[in-house]
């Protein structure tokens, strides 16, 4: 079993749609969680950190459920520019050794 | 302010050869981590360097080795290349981890093709 698991998709949605990505992690000792965005053939870039209390950044909302070992990302009012791969990430020891999921591909269509 | 720079951007090698990839961290960063990203997969942690020493290592064979220099730059060496080593190799830098400031900045990567 992979330490961080995501549905690879692809998710094909129309502009303006709301889309949710889910992710599970197996290491209960994991302390920090993130969502990274990766455009085709580019490097991953931090989208947002994920906290138990939930956090929002504009159209993006991330949530962490430690009891279920589950992380989510909600994107509202999807834009064409949101098309990318979204990587769910856990830092099991808070030391910068990041464990990445496979990534979920989002394609927003006009 | 330059971000993380990696070289070369692309290279082609044949099985059995050796390769060296280079990374300069973001200004002010002192910790360098290396990741391997195969096509269609998420990045996998290779190892991390701090104060010129390997501090953590992922599940990679000894063919993968590295080095960090006094100026914080780093090299990744892979010996006896296999076809399966074909991947995007990403370097990421950060501030010293124990401070909790563990947000990584990634370079654009070195794309290695092994024939």
């Amino acid at each position: 079993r992979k330490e961080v698991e995501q549905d690879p998709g692809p998710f094909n949605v129309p502009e303006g749609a709301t889309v949710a990505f889910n992710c599970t992690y197996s290491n209960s000792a994991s302390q920090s969680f993130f969502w990274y965005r990766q455009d085709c053939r580019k490097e991953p870039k931090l989208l947002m950190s994920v906290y138990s209390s939930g956090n929002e950044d504009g159209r993006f909302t991330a949530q962490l459920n430690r009891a279920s070992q589950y992380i989510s990302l909600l994107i509202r009012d999807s834009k064409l520019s949101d098309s990318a791969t979204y990587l769910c990430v856990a830092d099991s020891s808070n030391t910068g050794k990041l464990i990445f999921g496979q990534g979920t591909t989002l394609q927003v269509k006009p | 302010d330059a971000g993380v720079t990696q070289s070369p951007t692309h290279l082609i090698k044949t099985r059995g050869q050796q390769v060296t990839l280079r990374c300069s961290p973001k200004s002010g960063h002192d910790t360098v981590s290396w990741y391997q990203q195969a096509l269609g997969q998420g990045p996998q942690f290779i190892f991390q360097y701090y104060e010129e020493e390997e501090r953590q290592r992922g599940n990679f064979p000894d063919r993968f080795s590295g080095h960090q220099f006094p100026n914080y730059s780093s090299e990744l060496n892979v010996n006896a290349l296999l076809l399966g080593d074909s991947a995007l190799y990403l370097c990421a830098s950060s501030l010293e981890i124990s401070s909790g400031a563990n947000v990584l900045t990634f370079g654009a990567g070195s794309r290695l093709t092994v024939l």
Side-chain angles (χ1 to χ4, degrees), chain A residues 2 32 34 36 38 41-46 49 87 91 93-103, chain B residues 10 33 35 37 40-43 45 48 55-58 88 90 97 100 102-104 106-108 111:
Chain A
K2 292 182 180 178
S32 304
F34 310 91
Y36 275 73
Q38 186 172 28
R41 303 184 77 81
K42 300 282 190 181
E43 72 274 23
K45 293 184 177 177
L46 179 66
S49 301
L87 295 159
D91 185 346
S93 56
N94 211 37
T95 60
K97 177 185 174 182
L98 301 185
I99 309 299
F100 285 80
Q102 179 181 358
Chain B
H10 296 81
S33 302
Y35 289 79
Q37 187 174 23
Q41 301 298 316
F45 177 81
Q48 182 186 80
R55 188 157 67 172
Q56 295 190 84
R57 189 178 182 92
L88 178 67
L90 294 160
I97 295 304
N102 58 357
V103 175
L104 304 187
F106 281 87
R111 190 166 298 278

Side-chain angles (χ1 to χ4, degrees), chain A residues 25-81:
Chain A
Y25 61 95
S26 60
N27 186 349
S28 59
S30 296
Q31 299 182 29
S32 304
F33 304 90
F34 310 91
W35 284 100
Y36 275 73
R37 170 190 168 133
Q38 186 172 28
D39 293 294
C40 188
R41 303 184 77 81
K42 300 282 190 181
E43 72 274 23
K45 293 184 177 177
L46 179 66
L47 179 65
M48 59 199 305
S49 301
V50 188
Y51 306 114
S52 296
S53 54
N55 49 307
E56 187 174 312
D57 182 2
R59 296 181 295 108
F60 298 83
T61 301
Q63 199 82 40
L64 165 65
N65 184 321
R66 287 191 184 272
S68 302
Q69 296 182 197
Y70 172 95
I71 304 160
S72 65
L73 177 68
L74 184 75
I75 305 175
R76 291 180 299 278
D77 188 23
S78 299
K79 312 291 185 191
L80 295 177
S81 58

Side-chain angles (χ1 to χ4, degrees), chain B residues 1 20 38 61-62 66-67 70 86 98:
Chain B
D1 179 23
T20 297
D62 292 344
H67 191 79
S86 295
S98 64

